[in-house]
Amino acid sequence: MSVGFIGAGQLVHALVKGFSAAGVIATHRITASSPETGLSTATRLRKMGVNLTTSNKETVKSSDVLFLAVKPHIIPFVLDEIGPDIEERHLIVSCAAGVTISSIEKKLLQHQSAPKVMRCMTNTPVMVREGATVYATGMHADLEDGKLLEQLMSSVGYCTEVEEDLIDAVTGLSGSGPAYAFTAVDALADGGVKMGLPRRLAVRLGAQALLGAARMLLDSEQHPGQLKDNVASPGGATIHALHVMESGGFRSLLINAVEASCIRTRELQHLADQEKISAAAIKKTTLKKVLQQPGVSGTGVAVRTGISLNSPSSKHK
């Protein structure tokens, strides 16, 4: 088996490092494509032994399992480029927030009668094999395809299958969750520093507190509220601290954060469906490279300025 990644950003680096640590696939059997091979993540991938290229088509040809790991609004343009190269052997796995299986299948059906497509949402802790991944299966992917993806993703953390309509909510919870946790540790460390702790020690203690609490919860059958109550002695320091957190709307902030991430995920799907992208963003994506490929035209691609990319004034040469 060989694995390919369209994209070479933080998530790809995290997945490759996790797969390598788990021993599920050797790095020389992994290919990643990016228009910017000078990115820090691309450099790290190359040092790990990953085959790095600027050609998405090359990545497709050298892989059996192909992860789409680019920004959601770039997905349609990438599919237009690689669609003719997708074969029956390929399993396409989208990691793009908000992009539906049906929208990918619709693109690929123009070139392949039964494209095997799956959608997953994971997170960066896959790097240390503590990721949280869910996946949904497309119309043409079979049970064995699901087992293959689950084998890969279970090697780098928790993995389970869900209905696709739950994945946007998962994005808001565990997909964005590490950022919430890092922010919490940063704030806890600031509190420790304010009260006199050295920064390095404060960060370590805050991180260890979250790590230990998470492990206790996962190893316990108790509700998180009960575990919280176990720490809060009557009249003690913890209950006073919890009162301050409640007064500041701590719970509501987290609920609203999950909701905001979920809503934005759905907005990103809308942008992908429109197949529109700002002119400024083109330089930062694979789209410019796509349009420079021989035989690829800009038909149907538009920018928000209203200028068609296949008009004489805007065609890429």
Side-chain angles (χ1 to χ4, degrees):
M1 178 185 66
S2 57
V3 172
F5 292 94
I6 303 295
Q10 295 290 347
L11 179 60
V12 174
H13 176 251
L15 282 169
V16 170
K17 191 167 183 179
F19 290 159
S20 178
V24 291
I25 185 168
T27 53
H28 72 269
R29 299 191 63 81
I30 300 175
T31 304
S33 54
S34 170
E36 302 294 338
T37 55
L39 293 174
S40 61
T41 50
T43 301
R44 292 198 295 270
L45 287 170
R46 189 184 293 109
K47 289 180 178 179
M48 292 169 65
V50 172
N51 302 298
L52 205 64
T53 177
T54 57
S55 171
N56 292 335
K57 288 177 174 287
E58 184 179 332
T59 298
V60 172
K61 290 176 182 177
S62 61
S63 63
D64 300 310
V65 180
L66 181 67
F67 287 87
L68 304 179
V70 296
K71 298 295 184 184
H73 57 283
I74 306 304
I75 291 289
F77 307 114
V78 168
L79 293 174
D80 285 340
E81 178 196 12
I82 68 173
D85 301 296
I86 298 299
E87 300 176 3
E88 185 177 346
R89 66 184 171 87
H90 284 114
L91 173 60
I92 312 300
V93 182
S94 173
C95 301
V99 179
T100 62
I101 291 172
S102 62
S103 67
I104 297 173
E105 288 177 335
K106 182 179 179 181
K107 283 281 188 182
L108 295 180
L109 280 169
Q110 300 173 31
H111 310 283
Q112 169 65 243
S113 60
K116 298 186 293 184
V117 178
M118 304 184 79
R119 177 182 173 189
C120 84
M121 176 48 57
T122 188
N123 59 14
T124 53
V126 292
M127 180 183 292
V128 292
R129 302 180 65 191
E130 290 291 353
T133 304
V134 301
Y135 70 92
T137 304
M139 184 179 299
H140 305 289
D142 57 30
L143 183 62
E144 291 304 311
D145 296 319
K147 287 182 178 179
L148 175 58
L149 180 61
E150 191 157 335
Q151 178 186 358
L152 279 171
M153 302 311 295
S154 292
S155 74
V156 291
Y158 173 77
C159 179
T160 189
E161 185 176 9
V162 298
E163 295 296 327
E164 188 183 9
D165 59 6
L166 297 179
I167 293 186
D168 289 347
V170 171
T171 304
L173 178 56
S174 57
S176 300
Y180 312 153
F182 293 137
T183 302
V185 171
D186 192 31
L188 286 170
D190 281 347
V193 170
K194 181 180 180 181
M195 302 314 294
L197 293 178
R199 169 68 61 180
R200 188 180 183 89
L201 177 60
V203 171
R204 178 57 191 265
L205 291 174
Q208 189 67 39
L210 264 64
L211 175 63
R215 175 50 56 195
M216 282 183 67
L217 178 60
L218 292 175
D219 290 347
S220 170
E221 295 183 357
Q222 291 182 295
H223 188 277
Q226 180 60 55
L227 293 173
K228 176 262 298 177
D229 288 348
N230 293 346
V231 183
S233 303
T238 302
I239 193 63
H240 279 73
L242 290 172
H243 181 207
V244 172
M245 292 171 68
E246 292 289 355
S247 299
F250 181 75
R251 291 171 184 264
S252 293
L253 282 174
L254 289 178
I255 293 169
N256 291 341
V258 173
E259 182 181 31
S261 178
C262 179
I263 290 172
R264 179 55 179 167
T265 297
R266 292 166 182 165
E267 292 172 351
L268 291 173
Q269 171 59 43
H270 179 66
L271 290 175
D273 288 342
Q274 287 183 321
E275 296 191 28
K276 293 182 179 180
I277 182 172
S278 69
I282 292 174
K283 297 179 181 178
K284 300 178 182 178
T285 69
T286 56
L287 178 56
K288 185 177 180 180
K289 296 290 183 182
V290 169
L291 296 179
Q292 290 174 340
Q293 296 284 341
V296 179
S297 69
T299 305
V301 182
V303 296
R304 293 197 193 100
T305 55
I307 302 173
S308 172
L309 290 180
N310 63 338
S311 65
S313 62
S314 60
K315 190 175 290 185
H316 290 258
K317 297 181 180 178

